[in-house]
Amino acid sequence: MWSRHLIRFSNNRWMSTSVATNVKNIMGWWDHVLPAPKDPITSVTEAFLSDPSPLKLNLGVGAYRDDEGKPVTLECVRRAAESISGCEFLESTKATTKSKFVQDSVKLAYGNDSNVVREGRFAGVPALSGTGACRLFAQFQRRFYPDSQIFLPTPTWSNHHDIWRDSQVCTSTYHYYDPDTKGLQFQALMNDIKNAPDRSFFLLHPCAHNPTGVDPNYEQWKEISHICKIKNHFPFFDMAYQGIASGDLERDATAIRIFLEDGHLLGCAQSFSKNMGLYGHRVGCVSIVSRDENQATAIKSQLQQIVRAMYSSSPVHGPLLVSAILNDADLKALWEEEVKVMVDRLIRMRITLRQNLEELNSSASWEHITKQVGMFYFSGLSPKEVDQLQRDFHIYMTNDGRIRGDKQQCGLLGKCNP
Ligand SMILES: Cc1ncc(COP(=O)(O)O)c(C=O)c1O
């Protein structure tokens, strides 16, 4: 029953009690929603932005920057953008653009002469960059193995935990990084793979492990592949940094090639954020190797259905850019050259940082800085030391001590002598 009683508000306006009750109910809808815990990476940027010091330095963001701290647009991307100008508006090319992009993308991961690609034994769809690719796979895993879990390395990119949690897939961890040696805990890793239930899902970083920069070597990958095969595990490779470990795109795909050679059915997330600098375009691909072409068709249709219900379809501009680069010999050669320039610079920064720290006669060993690979240095600084750097020197990084390695100022970091 609607009540006719009126109530008077402080601004002298009147409202019937029934409406007021309704407003109260509506206001009650989200009262239980509390702020989400801060993301460990974006919260570094927030703290950095609110620091008024002109000396402040943000080493936390996972994106490549030039000497002035500015994002880099690769020349190959500029030229590709000119060559495809207008194509993204052609409705008729959407489907072909996407399937071409998937084909080009998986060739980069699996190899130009890969049997899997030649025989059409893979299902792939474009994804919203590496994050979207992981999320699509997590949803797929949940759909077909609802009671399964996935093993993640300790540590790993923090979003891995969030992606699989939000897809309602349980996560477990396996040993990876040894804080004492600042290297790989290979034996413990092998034991964890051995002791996991048969047919488990394992997430592997094929190159430039984030956040540690520590990768298994060729022989170790062979052993990991071998034990995964014996245990019938499903390897899922999250390849966000192809090219960024060694400067060589083929070499950085070695782990995946080893697993393919050993006959694994595997999954792969690819991102073009770092190696083509396409962060804002969100270009990536998720692919799953299958037993035969029919299985590939079935898997692809399921991935497409997951995409359809989430965001219908992905944008085409990024895939057009990537395909333009990968299918033009000159642009591809230019891209490879530009990747190499970025990686050589990252290596030079590592050497300078280590030299500067050693010149301070620090009692600690800084050898790991030049041993690690990729975009980050896993410095080994404790959360307390990270806090001190932030408080006293306005230098920002994630509290696990991860430093983005493209800052010219990184070389000067040692001079701060915290
Ligand atoms: C290991 C790993 N996977 C995936 C991603 C996702 O990157 P993006 O979504 O920008 O491609 C990142 C980014 O930092 C990463 O480090």
Side-chain angles (χ1 to χ4, degrees):
M1 268 290 274
W2 286 76
S3 149
R4 302 244 171 240
H5 294 295
L6 293 176
I7 55 167
R8 188 177 178 180
F9 286 100
S10 55
N11 61 2
N12 240 359
R13 295 189 60 184
W14 293 86
M15 188 188 274
S16 85
T17 46
S18 59
V19 175
T21 312
N22 260 1
V23 169
K24 196 165 148 241
N25 285 342
I26 289 165
M27 285 172 77
W29 269 105
W30 309 114
D31 292 354
H32 61 299
V33 179
L34 302 174
K38 288 197 182 249
D39 179 88
I41 297 168
T42 49
S43 59
V44 173
T45 304
E46 279 173 27
F48 170 79
L49 289 175
S50 62
D51 183 342
S53 168
L55 300 172
K56 65 183 178 178
L57 201 58
N58 187 358
L59 304 177
V61 189
Y64 187 85
R65 297 281 187 265
D66 66 11
D67 281 346
E68 272 116 48
K70 298 209 175 92
V72 173
T73 305
L74 299 185
E75 183 54 29
C76 62
V77 171
R78 282 187 206 284
R79 292 193 199 166
E82 278 166 27
S83 76
I84 61 159
S85 170
C87 295
E88 65 267 41
F89 302 115
L90 298 176
E91 186 66 26
S92 57
T93 60
K94 260 190 186 170
T96 43
T97 298
K98 287 180 190 173
S99 63
K100 175 125 197 50
F101 163 74
V102 168
Q103 190 84 5
D104 297 335
S105 197
V106 294
K107 272 191 194 164
L108 199 63
Y110 299 167
N112 257 332
D113 53 355
S114 144
N115 290 341
V116 166
V117 179
R118 205 168 340 101
E119 294 159 14
R121 278 197 301 112
F122 71 92
V125 294
L128 298 178
S129 212
T131 309
C134 287
R135 182 64 195 257
L136 287 177
F137 182 78
Q139 294 290 151
F140 183 79
Q141 181 184 346
R142 164 79 194 167
R143 184 176 278 204
F144 293 100
Y145 289 93
D147 300 323
S148 68
Q149 55 180 335
I150 189 159
F151 284 82
L152 306 174
T154 304
T156 192
W157 180 48
S158 58
N159 209 16
H160 282 147
H161 289 278
D162 301 343
I163 289 169
W164 268 268
R165 180 204 59 215
D166 278 8
S167 306
Q168 284 150 31
V169 176
C170 291
T171 54
S172 280
T173 54
Y174 63 89
H175 284 89
Y176 190 85
Y177 177 76
D178 184 346
D180 293 334
T181 64
K182 300 194 171 61
L184 187 66
Q185 271 187 322
F186 182 63
Q187 211 41 60
L189 175 154
M190 290 294 283
N191 288 341
D192 288 347
I193 298 178
K194 233 181 270 173
N195 296 330
D198 288 359
R199 294 174 63 77
S200 292
F201 288 84
F202 268 81
L203 184 143
L204 302 160
H205 298 226
C207 58
H209 180 275
N210 180 10
T212 68
V214 172
D215 288 343
N217 62 30
Y218 182 86
E219 286 73 29
Q220 288 169 332
W221 275 124
K222 289 286 289 176
E223 288 189 49
I224 296 170
S225 170
H226 183 67
I227 185 73
C228 282
K229 198 79 207 291
I230 291 173
K231 292 285 297 180
N232 251 316
H233 293 327
F234 188 89
F236 180 71
F237 286 96
D238 179 12
M239 185 150 64
Y241 300 95
Q242 187 175 2
I244 302 294
S246 67
D248 180 334
L249 290 141
E250 290 297 302
R251 198 166 148 196
D252 282 3
T254 301
I256 295 180
R257 310 283 170 84
I258 289 172
F259 274 66
L260 286 175
E261 243 176 60
D262 290 348
H264 285 275
L265 301 185
L266 54 83
C268 181
Q270 288 173 266
S271 163
F272 292 95
S273 290
K274 326 277 171 175
N275 57 14
M276 278 197 193
L278 295 175
Y279 300 94
H281 291 260
R282 315 305 297 145
V283 203
C285 179
V286 64
S287 56
I288 297 174
V289 174
S290 58
R291 198 163 25 82
D292 56 34
E293 234 178 314
N294 286 342
Q295 198 175 66
T297 308
I299 294 172
K300 185 173 171 185
S301 69
Q302 294 288 345
L303 287 171
Q304 283 172 323
Q305 198 188 60
I306 292 169
V307 168
R308 179 93 179 115
M310 267 207 269
Y311 50 88
S312 185
S313 64
S314 48
V316 289
H317 187 253
L320 273 169
L321 278 175
V322 171
S323 284
I325 292 168
L326 297 182
N327 287 290
D328 179 306
D330 290 341
L331 284 184
K332 178 140 189 248
L334 178 58
W335 178 45
E336 286 165 345
E337 219 176 286
E338 293 189 286
V339 168
K340 183 89 178 62
V341 168
M342 284 194 283
V343 173
D344 285 347
R345 181 163 162 269
L346 289 167
I347 293 170
R348 276 201 311 280
M349 297 295 168
R350 283 180 187 282
I351 295 170
T352 314
L353 176 59
R354 181 177 165 187
Q355 270 170 358
N356 281 337
L357 288 164
E358 285 172 351
E359 275 167 22
L360 290 165
N361 294 325
S362 162
S363 56
S365 162
W366 298 103
E367 199 190 356
H368 60 283
I369 293 178
T370 46
K371 271 190 167 171
Q372 296 167 357
V373 293
M375 273 190 62
F376 307 108
Y377 316 148
F378 205 52
S379 65
L381 293 173
S382 67
K384 214 167 135 215
E385 289 163 332
V386 170
D387 268 358
Q388 195 186 349
L389 273 174
Q390 182 170 322
R391 199 180 51 244
D392 300 344
F393 300 96
H394 309 278
I395 295 169
Y396 291 78
M397 62 186 72
T398 48
N399 93 353
D400 57 6
R402 188 193 80 169
I403 300 173
R404 196 181 75 244
D406 56 40
K407 276 274 184 196
Q408 198 173 38
Q409 294 93 323
C410 265
L412 303 176
L413 197 57
K415 305 275 194 273
C416 297
N417 197 12

